[in-house]
Amino acid sequence: MAIVLYARKSVERENSISCETQLEYCRSMLRPGEQNEKVIPIVDNGFSGGSVRRQGFQRMMKLIRQGRARKVVVYKLDRISRSLSDFVGILQEFKEYGVEFVSSQESFDTSSPYGEMLVKLLMVFAEFERASIISRVAQAYAHRSEMGLYMGGRRPYGFELVPAVIHNVKTRALSPIPSEAERVKTIFRLYAQEGVSLRQLLKILAAEDKEPSQGSGWTTAKLSALLKNPIYVKADSDVYDYYHNRGTPIAADLSRFTGEYGARLYGRTRHNPASPDWSDMKLVLLSHPGLVEADVWLKCQQKLERNKQLGNSLSNRTSWLAGKVYCAGCGHAMTTIKGKPNKAGQVRRYFHCTGKTHKRTCAGPGMTVYAEDLEGMVHDCIAQKLSGLRAVSRPPGRAEASEANSLKLRVRAIEKAEQQLVDAILSGGLNQDLLALANQRAARLRQDKQTWSQRLSRLQSPPPGAEEAVDLAKAWRAAGYCRKKAAAGLLIHKILMDSSGGVKIWWNL
């Protein structure tokens, strides 16, 4: 039987003891009569003591279970494990196989109850030290990320890492790579267009030879991840609102959202983006310039979210009236199903009453309601509804957009101050004099908010003759499936089908 000398080291540091030195300390613990026995040194270099999934450790335990080791010598107790629960199990297994356990730096005898108790007490402190280290590392990571430092990870496409000094800290910062940055802008610009899906975007990029300059080619998953990444956006007040409304903690002052810098989202790796609660994430502003205008980036986010919400109803393309058609007889929704192919091989869609097929409480319409016929009729009704209406728009200039963002930031800051004031009043800790001052402060904030809001409204209203007219009826007739579904959702409350096939549309306007 052999004597095992076990050494472990988590990370290479100048002031930490090496595995070779640990083994020397272990050899010094061998008794004179053990000098001629077989000695097996086992090393785990670069492994944490928080887990027993270490190659060397598993080899040692295999020797013990095979009855080939009678003694284990370590430099210190925590070289075996920093987890109390793991160590108690390891110690119990040593006892079962009659293995003696020795530490060169702590004097104890595991064969006695007193020595076993001492070992367990030492392990409590070892586990506490490990938990403290993890806590300190997490706090340092959080603090450095909130300072706007780049915290590592894979280089985002479009940027390179260059040496930088931020808040007197030597670090690395992101700097745009011109060729890749142009590709990123192209991707966002194309996807923001109506009717361009991720698959269509993939085809466009391939046709225009806009594949990544390094690594594998584009995929829909890579494009989706790129489009969701706030590292590319010129973060302004609207981006602040986008994350604030989802409950995301924002580790940057509101005044910094000037539309210049990119941002980064930190948090849980298994975060569910479909959840309305994003409080498990954290948004920080970095020091690099953003690549994509905020309105384009937000349009892409809305499109990605809309596609996820619509899910199969969009991919199946059953009908752009899905969810709007109801049976007048029983009030249940009418859904679309596909019929069998006719003699010409065509498959027609038609609406059927769920009250008839599922609930068995309704006879349904007395005729077949083909989806194409109902869609054509409603399409004409919407075109007539929009006839004569004009939408006016005027793209804001760069100076106007900057001023509008500045006004929005002032309004948001006032709203934040108002909430803090309300919290202070509701806490009940104010006397009459302080309460009077709080009311005066609230009145000033309300007046300032009204002033800035009116100025913002005037800025966003186009002057006479500067607007561009859009024929809504013409735009409707040229609309694709996604735009029709979105417009129907806005314009129509519900469509009722009676037993004789009559149609009644309840409008939202």
Side-chain angles (χ1 to χ4, degrees), residues 451-508:
T451 299
W452 298 124
S453 296
Q454 289 175 349
R455 185 170 174 180
L456 178 62
S457 179
R458 288 195 300 270
L459 182 66
Q460 292 178 331
S461 300
E467 59 274 352
E468 299 175 359
V470 179
D471 188 332
L472 294 179
K474 182 178 179 181
W476 165 252
R477 284 189 288 270
Y481 176 86
C482 296
R483 183 172 290 183
K484 285 180 181 178
K485 188 170 183 66
L490 291 173
L491 297 173
I492 299 174
H493 176 60
K494 65 169 62 175
I495 301 171
L496 291 180
M497 297 288 305
D498 60 29
S499 58
S500 63
V503 178
K504 181 178 180 180
I505 302 176
W506 288 17
W507 300 95
N508 284 328

Side-chain angles (χ1 to χ4, degrees), residues 289-351:
L291 302 178
V292 181
E293 299 296 333
D295 58 338
V296 175
W297 188 85
L298 288 170
K299 188 179 293 185
C300 291
Q301 307 316 301
Q302 293 165 1
K303 189 173 179 180
L304 289 166
E305 290 171 4
R306 185 171 66 245
N307 290 345
K308 184 177 289 293
Q309 291 167 359
L310 292 176
N312 292 333
S313 64
L314 263 179
S315 59
N316 292 339
R317 293 183 177 260
T318 54
S319 173
W320 52 270
L321 292 177
K324 294 293 181 181
V325 185
Y326 292 83
C327 175
C330 65
H332 286 94
M334 297 184 68
T335 58
T336 55
I337 61 175
K338 293 180 179 180
K340 296 180 179 179
N342 56 23
K343 294 181 179 180
Q346 296 176 332
V347 178
R348 300 197 67 183
R349 300 166 295 129
Y350 60 92
F351 283 91

Side-chain angles (χ1 to χ4, degrees), residues 67-275:
R68 297 167 57 191
R70 70 170 189 84
K71 185 175 184 178
V72 173
V73 185
V74 297
Y75 169 68
K76 287 182 68 176
L77 195 64
D78 60 6
R79 298 301 89 193
I80 286 289
S81 176
R82 285 184 179 271
S83 169
L84 178 60
S85 58
D86 286 341
F87 185 78
V88 170
I90 295 167
L91 193 61
Q92 185 63 34
E93 194 164 0
F94 283 179
K95 290 177 65 176
E96 290 177 3
Y97 287 95
V99 175
E100 183 182 353
F101 180 59
V102 177
S103 168
S104 72
Q105 300 299 301
E106 298 109 350
S107 298
F108 51 76
D109 181 5
T110 58
S111 63
S112 68
Y114 178 80
E116 188 173 338
M117 180 195 70
L118 182 61
V119 169
K120 291 179 180 178
L121 285 175
L122 290 172
M123 280 307 305
V124 170
F125 287 101
E127 187 171 32
F128 171 74
E129 182 184 5
R130 176 174 177 266
S132 299
I133 291 172
I134 292 174
S135 177
R136 288 197 300 270
V137 170
Q139 291 174 3
Y141 186 92
H143 176 66
R144 289 173 67 88
S145 67
E146 291 173 7
M147 291 170 61
L149 306 183
Y150 184 75
M151 299 305 297
R154 181 177 297 178
R155 173 186 72 86
Y157 183 79
F159 295 99
E160 63 179 340
L161 290 168
V162 297
V165 177
I166 302 174
H167 299 297
N168 295 323
V169 177
K170 289 184 178 181
T171 182
R172 294 189 299 170
L174 297 174
S175 178
I177 301 174
S179 59
E180 293 187 2
E182 286 303 316
R183 288 191 184 96
V184 169
K185 294 176 183 177
T186 300
I187 289 170
F188 276 92
R189 185 177 66 253
L190 289 171
Y191 188 70
Q193 297 176 13
E194 189 66 36
V196 177
S197 66
L198 288 174
R199 289 192 177 278
Q200 290 170 327
L201 176 59
L202 189 63
K203 292 179 181 178
I204 293 172
L205 294 174
E208 296 182 359
D209 194 25
K210 292 188 180 298
E211 292 292 314
S213 57
Q214 58 183 8
S216 58
W218 291 116
T219 64
T220 54
K222 287 182 180 179
L223 290 173
S224 177
L226 184 145
L227 290 164
K228 293 175 184 176
N229 198 338
I231 212 160
Y232 300 107
V233 68
K234 297 179 179 179
D236 64 1
S237 59
D238 292 331
V239 175
Y240 178 95
D241 288 343
Y242 175 80
Y243 285 103
H244 178 72
N245 293 338
R246 285 158 176 76
T248 308
I250 301 175
D253 190 77
L254 176 62
S255 61
R256 292 193 59 210
F257 284 79
T258 57
E260 300 176 51
Y261 306 111
R264 189 169 186 183
L265 201 60
Y266 292 98
R268 296 174 56 184
T269 55
R270 294 187 178 182
H271 167 75
N272 179 16
S275 170

Side-chain angles (χ1 to χ4, degrees), residues 22-73:
Q22 291 181 42
L23 292 176
E24 288 300 320
Y25 274 101
C26 293
R27 288 189 179 92
S28 69
M29 297 301 295
L30 297 179
R31 302 187 187 99
E34 297 173 336
Q35 298 295 332
N36 296 326
E37 291 190 39
K38 183 179 180 181
V39 176
I40 302 175
I42 296 178
V43 172
D44 274 323
N45 208 340
F47 288 89
S48 168
S51 172
V52 295
R53 295 179 179 177
R54 294 169 254 147
Q55 184 176 359
F57 177 83
Q58 294 299 330
R59 179 188 167 204
M60 178 183 73
M61 296 306 296
K62 184 177 180 180
L63 291 172
I64 291 171
R65 290 162 187 156
Q66 292 174 347
R68 297 167 57 191
R70 70 170 189 84
K71 185 175 184 178
V72 173
V73 185

